[in-house]
């Protein structure tokens, strides 16, 4: 979690805005890819020379990339720089720091915002501005200390929002992110929970595959985290019904048009294992429903997504593997009322019934929790 003097950075946001990989930014800045990755997730504080090199490569000022987290009373900090103004935003407290989150498309639909920033001060693009139409976010229903921020790609995450609000007075904000992007935000102290489904490098969902999520958390963040099992779900190939595909082999014909997902997502991991040495698709969808929509609209013939997203879009589905989908959160937030409420909702009989009734979702282990520990 951020401390008074911890360095918060926006390197990843500026890199993605230019559609660069970490390798590309490393090449342009003269740093190593591992160094860029460590800086982005906050494991490494860059030297002055490294910060200047990154700023020059990204064509921005150093103070647009790096800032100190401050816990003094007053206006909350931006979790990341707004892409444009006016900008609606949400407000939430994570680990003692209150953050503003630029509003974005959410699986929950249009979530009411806490304020609108109309202009940013030209001298400081992150902190100052003119606000209008903002609510009293301290007193509002679902204020900062009653807001749970979850980064994930689960298309069924909306099943959590109603019970959290109704039973515990907790507002849920969902940021659509791949598994590794969600873990990065968790490691930087910007979200309470990250959704993870990274079974492993192959298509085999047999013995050992269940350790993939724990190993991914250890690699990205280290010890000190908990995994809460949400579901075991089915991932596979969504295809246009007109293709009448009956097997994986028929899907791999050379003339097929694929839509992919960003590196670091479970669906991309599955697709890479399926395609082997073939080039990855050029066109990427943001989430599982994005993959299904691209196929349904005829922009692609096939894509890897969850059975739920495929069936919602009326597509054919060829199963590839089952994956354990876990919610990851810091052990130090174990007793946070929002996390307590989340565990209670996930373990409740109504939620488990609703989840288990979805296509491709299994809820037999829903609610089980375990610690992420090295050597376990």
């Amino acid at each position: 979690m951020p401390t008074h003097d911890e360095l918060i950075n926006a390197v990843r946001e500026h890199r993605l805005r230019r559609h660069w990989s970490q390798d590309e930014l490393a090449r342009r800045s003269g740093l190593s890819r591992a160094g860029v990755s460590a800086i982005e997730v906050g494991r490494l504080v860059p030297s002055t020379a490294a910060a200047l090199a990154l700023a020059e490569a990204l064509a921005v000022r150093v103070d647009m990339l790096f800032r100190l987290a401050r816990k003094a009373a007053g206006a909350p900090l931006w979790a990341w720089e707004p892409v444009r103004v006016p900008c609606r935003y949400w407000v939430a407290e994570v680990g003692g720091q209150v953050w503003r989150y630029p509003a974005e498309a959410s699986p929950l639909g249009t979530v009411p915002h806490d304020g609108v920033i109309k202009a940013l001060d030209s001298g400081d693009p992150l902190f100052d501005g003119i606000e209008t139409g903002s609510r009293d976010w301290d007193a509002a229903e679902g204020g900062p200390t009653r807001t749970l921020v979850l980064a994930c790609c689960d298309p069924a995450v909306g099943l959590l929002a109603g019970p959290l609000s109704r039973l515990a007075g907790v507002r849920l904000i969902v940021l659509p992110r791949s598994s590794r992007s969600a873990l990065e935000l968790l490691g930087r102290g910007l979200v309470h929970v990250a959704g993870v489904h990274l079974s492993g490098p192959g298509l085999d969902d047999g013995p050992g595959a269940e350790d993939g999520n724990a190993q991914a958390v250890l690699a990205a963040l280290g010890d000190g985290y908990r995994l809460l099992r949400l579901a075991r779900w089915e991932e596979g190939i969504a295809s246009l019904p007109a293709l009448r595909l009956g097997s994986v082999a028929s899907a791999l014909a050379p003339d097929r048009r694929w839509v992919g997902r960003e590196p670091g997502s479970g669906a991309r991991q599955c697709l890479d294992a399926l395609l082997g040495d073939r080039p990855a698709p050029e066109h990427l969808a943001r989430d599982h429903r994005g993959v299904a929509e691209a196929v349904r609209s005829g922009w692609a013939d096939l894509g890897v997504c969850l059975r739920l997203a495929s069936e919602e879009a009326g597509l054919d589905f060829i199963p590839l593997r089952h994956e354990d989908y876990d919610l990851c959160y810091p052990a130090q937030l174990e007793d946070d009322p929002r996390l307590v409420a989340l565990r209670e909702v996930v373990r409740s009989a109504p939620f488990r019934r609703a989840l288990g009734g979805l296509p491709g979702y299994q809820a037999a282990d829903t609610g089980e929790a375990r610690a992420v520990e090295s050597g376990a």
Side-chain angles (χ1 to χ4, degrees), residues 116-318:
V116 179
I117 191 148
K118 283 291 190 179
L120 295 172
D121 183 87
S122 59
D124 190 339
L126 291 177
F127 304 119
D128 297 326
I130 303 170
E131 297 181 51
T132 183
S134 60
R135 300 188 298 165
D136 180 358
W137 46 264
D138 266 325
E141 179 183 359
T145 61
R146 300 299 296 173
T147 296
L148 179 71
V149 185
L150 166 60
C152 73
C153 65
D154 181 11
V157 69
L159 293 180
L160 287 170
L164 281 171
S165 176
R166 184 173 61 254
L167 302 177
V170 172
R171 176 180 64 164
L172 181 64
I173 296 296
V174 178
L175 305 174
R177 298 292 188 275
S178 69
S179 294
R180 295 201 184 278
S181 294
L183 288 176
E184 288 180 9
L185 291 179
L186 186 67
R188 293 168 57 189
L190 295 176
V191 300
H192 300 98
V193 185
V196 187
H197 66 109
L198 294 168
S199 294
L203 297 177
D204 181 14
D205 60 357
E210 67 274 7
D211 293 328
N213 290 340
Q215 294 304 315
V217 173
L218 280 171
L221 305 176
D223 291 318
Y225 292 85
R226 300 283 188 269
L227 289 176
L228 178 68
R229 176 60 44 80
L230 197 72
R232 184 166 175 80
W233 61 24
E234 194 172 19
E235 197 164 43
I237 302 171
S239 66
L240 289 169
L243 293 179
R244 300 182 181 276
L245 301 181
S247 66
V248 173
S250 61
L252 292 175
D255 59 340
R256 306 300 188 199
R257 298 174 301 150
W258 288 85
V259 60
R261 288 283 308 285
E262 68 175 276
S265 65
R268 176 60 177 269
Q269 184 187 71
C270 184
L271 178 61
D272 287 345
L274 177 67
L275 296 181
D277 294 333
R278 298 188 186 192
E282 294 183 4
H283 300 292
L284 305 181
R286 189 184 189 197
D287 52 25
H288 293 283
R289 285 196 173 111
V291 170
E293 178 60 25
V295 175
R296 187 187 71 85
S297 300
W299 302 328
D301 298 322
L302 317 104
V304 170
C305 65
L306 298 183
R307 178 183 284 276
L308 172 63
S310 178
E311 291 198 8
E312 284 179 338
L315 303 174
D316 287 346
F317 185 81
I318 301 174

Side-chain angles (χ1 to χ4, degrees), residues 330-348:
Q332 67 188 67
L333 295 184
E334 184 86 28
D335 297 325
D336 186 299
R338 293 161 292 189
L339 271 299
V340 173
L342 177 66
R343 291 195 299 272
E344 290 178 350
V345 168
V346 168
R347 290 167 178 165
S348 68

Side-chain angles (χ1 to χ4, degrees), residues 45-121:
V45 175
S47 65
T48 301
L52 289 170
L54 288 169
E56 182 178 0
L58 292 165
V60 296
R61 301 194 312 272
V62 172
D63 64 353
M64 294 179 68
L65 294 181
F66 303 100
R67 66 186 188 275
L68 291 176
R70 301 182 181 93
K71 293 191 176 181
L77 303 178
W78 286 104
W80 45 81
E81 181 185 359
V83 175
R84 62 181 59 86
V85 291
C87 174
R88 297 182 302 115
Y89 62 83
W90 302 304
V91 180
E93 177 271 331
V94 182
Q97 175 65 60
V98 179
W99 299 100
R100 283 186 180 129
Y101 298 84
E104 57 184 274
S106 169
L108 304 180
T110 301
V111 178
H113 55 272
D114 297 321
V116 179
I117 191 148
K118 283 291 190 179
L120 295 172
D121 183 87

Side-chain angles (χ1 to χ4, degrees), residues 6-92:
E6 185 172 351
L7 192 66
I8 303 299
N9 76 77
V11 173
R12 182 177 184 275
E13 286 73 25
H14 282 276
R15 173 175 64 79
L16 292 179
R17 193 173 301 169
R18 287 161 177 75
H19 305 288
W20 292 353
S21 65
Q22 289 183 339
D23 286 326
E24 179 67 12
L25 178 54
R27 183 184 68 80
R28 290 173 179 263
S29 65
L31 305 180
S32 67
R33 190 210 61 79
V36 169
S37 176
I39 290 171
E40 285 191 353
V41 300
R43 290 200 304 265
L44 175 66
V45 175
S47 65
T48 301
L52 289 170
L54 288 169
E56 182 178 0
L58 292 165
V60 296
R61 301 194 312 272
V62 172
D63 64 353
M64 294 179 68
L65 294 181
F66 303 100
R67 66 186 188 275
L68 291 176
R70 301 182 181 93
K71 293 191 176 181
L77 303 178
W78 286 104
W80 45 81
E81 181 185 359
V83 175
R84 62 181 59 86
V85 291
C87 174
R88 297 182 302 115
Y89 62 83
W90 302 304
V91 180

